[in-house]
């Protein structure tokens, strides 16, 4: 069992054994968070920088807690209170942090490819915590971890991902990951938010939620942003809700042991009804809990246990 | 001093010439051209055996960045890049600071060119004041000052009525409108060609339709006004189809294609290399194939660089934040010789026609683009067999934003002569 990556830039770069290594490592680390003293010394002396160029609640806190539970030192950077507002470039910001000898940089950025760009010139391990509309690898890994707890096997599992696929990094990373593990993925949304070309990534395309739910084992709802309505991707929240909101009635169409997922933050009553978000079939908060184990696993696999590789 | 160029393979599409001839140059003009001109007292003789002698190459589409953005490039460095790349004339797009929308700026560019440029500089003035797409410029005055055509390059005129008026007005002056065809509502915030690769990379797409909608509009307006229209950097299959169809109906439309749209496609962007960020974007493989077919069929008239220099610090940023543009003057000819001529996509004569004869004809430069007695002695000399490796650190341009660094290419410009003077190799 080995994780062969220097950085975690995206699921795209991982093979099945990398993915299973992360999931298995997360499983063994998840117990730490249930202890009375939620801390192990594994990454003592390691320094991690949370570089968040875009607002985030969940992912940022999750990385912070993951680092702390492994005894790493972590500092938080946020764009609003930094030199970026004085016009400092991403490259200079990163080089300045690098001068303080961190071991890993966790990067969230609104521009797709920003972590790849950083990885071309920095020495530290780069962890992508979400880049633009591109990838959100730790989210997909925690989603897979959560699915595995409920479903045991990914082979031929029927996964339905619903919403703003076009702009969703969560959807992309999940499609890449779950298709590598053998799941059957159906992407659902209006054509304006789900171009035909997505079928090239190993998923089936549908514009009807009702039709897609038949036989579904996993239903993943995505947040719909109101700005998309202003840009005419769909006519109104009312119409979107009528076509794509996961309601009690629609949920009956899925397999009876189907689980409901959402990467958050949720819009109750828009893409998911309140009763569905809070139902026993919902694993939404379990996803948040599992996020810490996955991020502990990533930090451990990249930073722990072995000497740092020389930069290539 | 008279210059005698001996034993070259002279290829001049304007007269259908392709044979070994000597060329005598006197006072910046071609004085004689025939087999075996005898040397005389005071001749400087250049033996160009095994080399191709072509009418000087003309780049209809370059950004010289002066006035206003001299940190990227200036008239002198752009002209040296042109000379090194085999171009004897380059057209300067008007999106400088200030914009070339008045006689003062046109005169400034020509005066600086006179003092500092290694090659001929032909200013293209703005269609509308400030490139704002609202009020057309004093075209007659700008032509009188030395402008050769009009374009709001990069800031495509969105208002169809303004474009109609510009076409009507330019026709009366017998000049040319060049359009960068882009519907800004359709391309809004786009970063690369819209398709599988943009969806995969999560980069906002620029659909082919953004270009095609405006090409269709321009063709319709030009036809109605019986005016000429030149489509800048054609990049899509649908656009090529529109131009082909319009030409069949005898609409006065011409089109240019850049080297990068012929040799690269959107799959090259997998690593978010900002040197590949260009507008119009690198399109799909299908579009590239369609452009090559259009080239062979004569739907495309001109090869142009869209030389767009930017500094390293401007390009060393997130993909979203990098400016569009490829620095192309010093790689265009080698790329095209390697990919088109040496791979038998285009024969040599057709290639020279598209990079010299046709640009001269379209721009009305009657003494250029041909190797006949009395023409300007602008010559590009090529070695079709020379193998080079692109090395951006050797550029004469001030900037280095070129994605072909390290490419091995066969065929290169080896000497550039402007008005009878050797401007490259640099002395």
């Amino acid at each position: 069992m080995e994780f062969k990556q220097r950085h975690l830039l995206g699921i795209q770069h991982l093979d099945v054994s990398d993915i299973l290594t992360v999931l298995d490592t997360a499983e063994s680390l998840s117990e730490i968070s249930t202890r009375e003293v939620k801390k192990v010394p594994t990454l003592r002396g390691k320094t991690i920088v949370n570089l968040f160029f875009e607002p985030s609640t969940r992912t940022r806190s999750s990385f912070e807690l993951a680092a702390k539970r492994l005894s790493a030192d972590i500092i938080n950077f946020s764009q609003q209170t930094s030199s970026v507002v004085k016009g400092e470039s991403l490259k200079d910001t990163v080089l300045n942090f690098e001068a303080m000898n961190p071991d890993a940089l966790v990067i969230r950025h609104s521009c797709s490819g920003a972590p790849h760009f950083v990885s071309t010139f920095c020495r530290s391990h780069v962890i992508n915590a979400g880049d633009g509309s591109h990838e959100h690898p730790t989210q997909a890994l925690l989603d897979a971890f959560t699915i595995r707890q409920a479903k045991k096997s990914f082979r031929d599992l029927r996964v339905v991902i619903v919403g703003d696929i076009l702009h969703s990094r969560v959807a992309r990373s999940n499609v890449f990951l779950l298709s590598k593990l053998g799941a059957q993925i159906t992407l659902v949304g209006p054509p304006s938010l789900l171009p035909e070309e997505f079928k090239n990534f190993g998923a089936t395309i549908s514009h009807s939620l009702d039709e897609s739910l038949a036989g579904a084992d996993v239903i993943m709802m995505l947040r719909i942003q109101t700005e998309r309505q202003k840009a005419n991707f769909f006519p109104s929240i009312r119409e979107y809700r009528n076509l794509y909101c996961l309601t009690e009635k629609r949920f009956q169409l899925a397999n009876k042991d189907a689980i409901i997922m959402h990467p958050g933050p949720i819009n109750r009553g828009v893409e998911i009804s309140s009763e569905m978000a809070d139902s026993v079939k919902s694993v939404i908060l379990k996803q948040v809990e599992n996020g810490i184990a996955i991020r502990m696993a990533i930090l451990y696999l990249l930073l722990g246990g072995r000497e740092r590789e020389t930069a290539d | 001093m008279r210059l005698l160029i001996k034993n070259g393979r002279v290829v001049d599409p304007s007269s259908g010439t392709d044979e070994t001839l000597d060329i005598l140059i006197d006072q910046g003009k071609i004085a004689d051209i025939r087999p075996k001109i005898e040397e005389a007292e005071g001749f400087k003789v250049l033996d160009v055996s095994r080399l191709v002698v072509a009418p000087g190459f003309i780049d209809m589409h370059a950004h010289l960045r002066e006035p206003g953005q001299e940190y990227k490039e200036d008239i002198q460095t752009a002209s040296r890049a042109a000379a090194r790349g085999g171009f004897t004339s380059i057209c300067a797009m008007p999106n400088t600071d200030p914009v070339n929308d008045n006689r003062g700026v046109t005169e400034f560019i020509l005066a600086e060119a006179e003092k500092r440029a290694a090659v001929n500089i032909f200013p293209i003035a703005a269609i509308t004041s400030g490139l704002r797409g609202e009020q057309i410029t004093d075209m007659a005055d700008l032509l009188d000052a030395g402008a050769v055509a009009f374009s709001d390059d990069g800031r495509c005129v969105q208002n169809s009525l303004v474009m109609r008026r510009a076409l009507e007005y330019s026709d009366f002056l017998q000049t040319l409108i060049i359009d960068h065809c882009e519907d800004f509502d359709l391309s809004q915030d786009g970063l690369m060609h819209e398709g599988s690769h943009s969806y995969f990379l999560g980069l906002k797409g620029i659909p082919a339709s953004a270009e095609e909608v405006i090409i269709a509009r321009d063709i319709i307006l030009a036809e109605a006004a019986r005016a000429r229209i030149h489509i800048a950097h054609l990049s899509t299959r649908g656009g090529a189809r529109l131009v082909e169809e319009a030409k069949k109906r005898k609409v006065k439309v011409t089109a240019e294609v850049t080297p990068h749209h012929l040799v690269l496609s959107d799959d090259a962007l997998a690593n978010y290399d900002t040197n590949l960020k260009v507008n119009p974007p690198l399109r799909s493989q299908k579009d590239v194939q369609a452009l090559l077919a259009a080239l062979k069929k004569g739907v495309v008239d001109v090869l142009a660089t869209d030389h767009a220099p930017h500094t390293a610090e401007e390009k060393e940023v997130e993909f979203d934040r990098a400016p569009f543009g490829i620095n192309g003057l010093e790689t265009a000819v080698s790329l095209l010789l390697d990919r088109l001529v040496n791979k038998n996509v285009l024969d040599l004569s057709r290639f020279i026609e598209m990079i010299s004869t046709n640009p001269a004809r379209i721009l009305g430069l009657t003494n250029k683009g041909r190797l006949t007695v009395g023409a300007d002695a602008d010559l590009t000399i090529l070695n079709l067999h020379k193998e080079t490796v692109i090395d951006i650190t050797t550029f004469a341009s001030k900037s280095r934003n070129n994605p072909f660094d390290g490419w091995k290419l066969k065929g290169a410009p080896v000497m550039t002569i402007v008005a009878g003077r050797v401007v490259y190799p640099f002395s």
Side-chain angles (χ1 to χ4, degrees), chain B residues 363-418:
Chain B
L363 293 167
L365 306 172
T366 48
N367 289 323
K368 300 197 183 294
R370 60 189 173 91
L371 293 176
T372 48
V373 173
D376 293 342
D378 292 354
L379 279 68
T380 297
I381 299 178
L382 307 170
N383 180 339
L384 298 182
H385 309 288
K386 185 180 178 183
E387 300 204 355
T388 52
V389 178
I390 303 288
D391 177 0
I392 56 171
T393 64
T394 64
F395 274 12
S397 168
K398 254 184 211 175
S399 296
R400 301 281 181 271
N401 54 307
N402 179 291
F404 304 109
D405 194 33
W407 282 37
K408 269 191 202 136
L409 301 170
K410 189 176 167 192
V414 290
M415 185 180 284
T416 308
I417 296 172
V418 175

Side-chain angles (χ1 to χ4, degrees), chain A residues 28-86:
Chain A
S28 58
L29 292 171
S30 64
E31 170 267 337
I32 295 165
S33 296
T34 64
R35 292 181 193 173
E36 182 72 29
V37 178
K38 303 180 187 61
K39 209 177 189 70
V40 293
T42 316
L43 294 184
R44 197 166 57 193
K46 301 286 184 185
T47 308
I48 296 159
V49 181
N50 252 347
L51 283 168
F52 277 61
F53 295 88
E54 196 185 65
S56 161
T57 316
R58 242 167 311 275
T59 307
R60 178 175 156 160
S61 328
S62 186
F63 269 109
E64 188 168 351
L65 283 174
K68 287 179 170 167
R69 286 179 188 170
L70 293 171
S71 303
D73 297 310
I74 184 157
I75 58 167
N76 282 301
F77 159 97
S78 76
Q79 182 154 352
Q80 292 74 19
T81 56
S82 73
S83 299
V84 173
V85 295
K86 299 179 191 166

Side-chain angles (χ1 to χ4, degrees), chain B residues 53-76:
Chain B
V53 180
F57 292 175
I58 300 167
D59 186 8
M60 282 185 69
H61 196 142
H63 296 273
L64 276 51
R65 308 300 190 204
E66 187 179 349
Q69 295 185 307
E70 295 84 355
Y71 64 98
K72 295 175 194 260
E73 189 80 290
D74 62 40
I75 288 169
Q76 183 172 39

